[in-house]
Structure formats: structure tokens, C-alpha cells
Amino acid sequence: MRDIKLVEVRSELAAGTRGASMGIDALKVASLDLKSDFFTLFDPINVPDANNYLWKGNKFPNAKYIDGVYQVLKNVYSTIESLRMEKKFPIVLAGDHSTAAGTIMGIKAANPSKRLGVIWIDAHADLHTPFTTPSGNMHGMPLAMTARIDNLECQVNNPSEETLIFWNKIKNIGGEFPKIELKDIVFISVRDTEEPENHLITKHGIKNFKTKEVRNSGVASIAKQALEVLKDCDQIYISFDVDSLDSSISVGTGTPVADGLSVEEAIELNAELIKDKRVCCWEIVEVNPTLDSENRMAENAFEVLENTTKSLVDNF
């Protein structure tokens, strides 16, 4: 059996709306309502956040709270690196999606010679940089951080010198080299992108299995195809953003988008993917109970979490 460790990251600095830091506790409330003992099975590690930066005000319009985001990413990176060095399997419960960059950096640091593939189940591509972002929200940037790209070909912003100092520090967490190659990303249900991201998706041939494909081909087939795309990768990391669910379901998240997965599809997809022996970390992000009604988002997300973990345990 995999030696599972729960990692809790209550950061919401990089989200566009407040409240994602409460998502982990909303999952715990959901587990109680669903009469589950899940949270008694694993001892959690709490990664220090930097949400106090929210009170200081934002000084970086093209990369909001980047000074605080840098602190959080370093904390996540060192936590995940240590766990992977100890051969633990991190299940990460996080607030905003920017912290996924720290997770990837930590996985890579523990095994720098191993090629790392990423399965990104999300409504968004999260390939923006301070040079291309329309919002400045850094939860739209984690994959660019880990691939160490600026995407200057599609530049629309002129970030300040101080912004770029922090941006370069972030890209270099864990070493001055890309932690992933963009061709080693597989998107599932990504459907809300901007032109700079589309440029990178086309340029690097990133595969995106749209929701319609999932429905037409079946979840098991898509899972198999996604893993086949990453056949040359030694390790695989899966990140599940709850906004990959359809907006009729995903009310309790900051950026809901129509034409997403059903809860049943998300459960089956994650449970199937995590059976692959190369998967070394799984993550769920962006539950925001302040936007929800009767904690429904957290209850749906918890079902994905519990079933995915069960699949992991049952298949090792």
C-alpha cells in the first residue's frame, strides 16, 4: 500500500475571489455530513500560508500578491520534496491553484532525473504569465511557472521590475531549469482559455480531451489515452480543479464554466487515472464555500477525494 500523506495548503492569495482558504475545512464538514471517517485515516501536514499579505494590499497588478505567493510556493515545494524523498504519496488539499507549482517543483526536486508528466483536470489552462494575464490572478499561472516560460511572443502587459524579480525567483524554485516540458501536459475538460494560452497549446502540441470527447469515448478510454500520451514520463502528477465540473454543479468555486464534467465522470476519471503506478501525487483545489449553497460543492468534491483515495489504496 502507498504511504499516503495528506497535505493541507490554505492559501487563497492567487485567486480572484476570497474564500478558497476555507475549502479544506468545507471538505471536512462534508465528510461529517456524509458520515465518512476519511479524515481520521491520515495525519495531515499543514503548509504555512501567507494570507496575511491580503491585508497589506496588492502592489503588483500583473501578478497580484506575488510576494506572498512566492513565500507559499517555497513552503509547498519544501514540504512535497521532503515527502517524496521519504517515498510518501502526497494527497494535496489546496485553496487556490497557484500552489500546484510548488507541488510540481517539490516532486521534481526529489527525483530530478525523472521525467514528470502532468494531468491537469480543469476548466482553465493556467498557462498565463505576468506578461499575458488579463486579470493578474496568479492561480492562472502555475504551469507557466513550472515550465519557466514568459510567453513574450504574446506579450500584452509590461510588468514592473519588482514583479519580474519575484517572477524569476518563483521560476527558479528548485533549480534554474524547467520542472516540466509543456508537451508533457495533458489537459482534460479545459474549455476557457485566452489567446496567449492557445498559442502555447498549439505550439507545444498539448493534448486537451474536451468534455464532449470524455462523454463520447467514455471515461475509461480517455484515461487510457491520457496515460498513453505520457508514456515516456517516469512520474505523473494529477491536479483536479473542481471547476472542471460543470457550472451547474460547481457553484462553490471562483471561476465556474459551463460544459464541464459531471461528478460521476470526475469520480471515475480520477479513480481510473490514479491506478497507474507512475502517479506519485494527486491534488484537489479551488473549493470555495463562501460562494456555495449548503456546502454542495464541498460534498461533491469530497466524493471525488474519497473515491480517488480508495482507488489508490485498493490498487497497491
Side-chain angles (χ1 to χ4, degrees), residues 77 81 105-106 108-109 112 169-177 179:
Y77 152 75
E81 180 190 22
M105 292 159 177
K108 186 66 175 178
K169 282 183 176 181
I170 284 173
K171 290 190 297 180
N172 291 336
I173 294 172
E176 296 182 19
F177 56 87
K179 284 64 182 186

Side-chain angles (χ1 to χ4, degrees), residues 91-121:
I91 290 183
V92 184
L93 316 180
D96 79 71
H97 213 169
S98 72
T99 63
T103 303
I104 292 170
M105 292 159 177
I107 294 169
K108 186 66 175 178
N111 291 284
S113 64
K114 290 188 176 181
R115 183 169 166 184
L116 178 59
V118 173
I119 297 179
W120 200 258
I121 308 167

Side-chain angles (χ1 to χ4, degrees), residues 20-307:
S21 62
M22 294 184 264
I24 295 164
D25 295 310
L27 287 169
K28 292 182 177 181
V29 169
S31 76
L32 291 171
D33 289 342
L34 296 169
K35 297 180 171 52
S36 169
D37 64 351
F38 180 88
F39 286 100
T40 69
L41 303 176
F42 311 103
D43 292 326
I45 294 176
N46 283 290
V47 178
D49 61 62
N51 291 333
N52 59 306
Y53 277 73
L54 291 167
W55 303 105
K56 301 178 181 181
N58 172 52
K59 298 181 290 184
F60 307 97
N62 300 127
K64 293 174 183 175
Y65 303 104
I66 192 171
D67 44 355
V69 170
Y70 171 59
Q71 297 298 327
V72 177
L73 294 186
K74 285 199 302 179
N75 295 342
V76 174
Y77 152 75
S78 60
T79 301
I80 299 299
E81 180 190 22
S82 297
L83 290 175
R84 290 301 299 147
M85 293 285 280
E86 297 166 9
K87 309 299 184 194
K88 309 278 190 193
F89 188 105
I91 290 183
V92 184
L93 316 180
D96 79 71
H97 213 169
S98 72
T99 63
T103 303
I104 292 170
M105 292 159 177
I107 294 169
K108 186 66 175 178
N111 291 284
S113 64
K114 290 188 176 181
R115 183 169 166 184
L116 178 59
V118 173
I119 297 179
W120 200 258
I121 308 167
D122 197 323
H124 307 91
D126 295 342
L127 283 167
H128 275 298
T129 77
F131 296 98
T132 67
T133 175
S135 68
N137 297 325
M138 295 195 73
H139 66 172
M141 304 184 192
L143 291 176
M145 296 171 185
T146 50
R148 291 187 86 249
I149 57 170
D150 295 329
N151 197 12
L152 295 177
E153 295 166 280
C154 300
Q155 181 175 357
V156 293
N157 304 321
N158 290 297
S160 69
E161 185 178 346
E162 193 177 4
T163 300
L164 295 182
I165 288 171
F166 279 111
W167 178 245
N168 288 319
K169 282 183 176 181
I170 284 173
K171 290 190 297 180
N172 291 336
I173 294 172
E176 296 182 19
F177 56 87
K179 284 64 182 186
I180 58 169
E181 300 293 334
L182 292 185
K183 64 183 179 182
D184 291 334
I185 298 169
V186 174
F187 288 139
I188 300 179
S189 207
V190 167
R191 55 198 185 276
D192 185 12
T193 57
E194 282 81 36
E195 196 49 48
E197 295 176 305
N198 294 336
H199 168 78
L200 292 172
I201 290 167
T202 301
K203 179 180 178 181
H204 296 276
I206 300 173
K207 178 60 182 172
N208 179 20
F209 294 98
K210 298 287 184 70
T211 305
K212 185 178 180 181
E213 287 181 75
V214 176
R215 223 146 270 164
N216 289 345
S217 299
V219 171
S221 173
I222 294 300
K224 184 178 180 181
Q225 290 178 60
L227 294 165
E228 178 63 21
V229 171
L230 302 177
K231 65 182 185 296
D232 295 326
C233 293
D234 306 301
Q235 298 187 114
I236 294 173
Y237 152 76
I238 302 169
S239 191
F240 174 71
D241 187 323
V242 298
D243 71 18
S244 63
L245 299 172
D246 188 75
S247 54
S248 63
I249 307 161
S250 60
V251 177
T253 191
T255 48
V257 183
D259 193 30
L261 301 171
S262 69
V263 176
E264 293 74 24
E265 287 165 339
I267 289 171
E268 185 184 351
L269 177 63
N270 283 283
E272 197 64 36
L273 289 169
I274 209 165
K275 293 177 184 177
D276 192 291
K277 302 296 189 283
R278 295 171 296 161
V279 177
C280 62
C281 179
W282 185 85
E283 181 171 62
I284 185 168
V285 302
E286 295 276 1
V287 173
N288 186 337
T290 68
L291 302 172
D292 206 2
S293 175
E294 298 177 346
N295 212 31
R296 282 179 296 177
M297 179 80 261
E299 289 188 358
N300 288 326
F302 176 73
E303 287 196 56
V304 178
L305 167 63
E306 187 170 46
N307 281 281

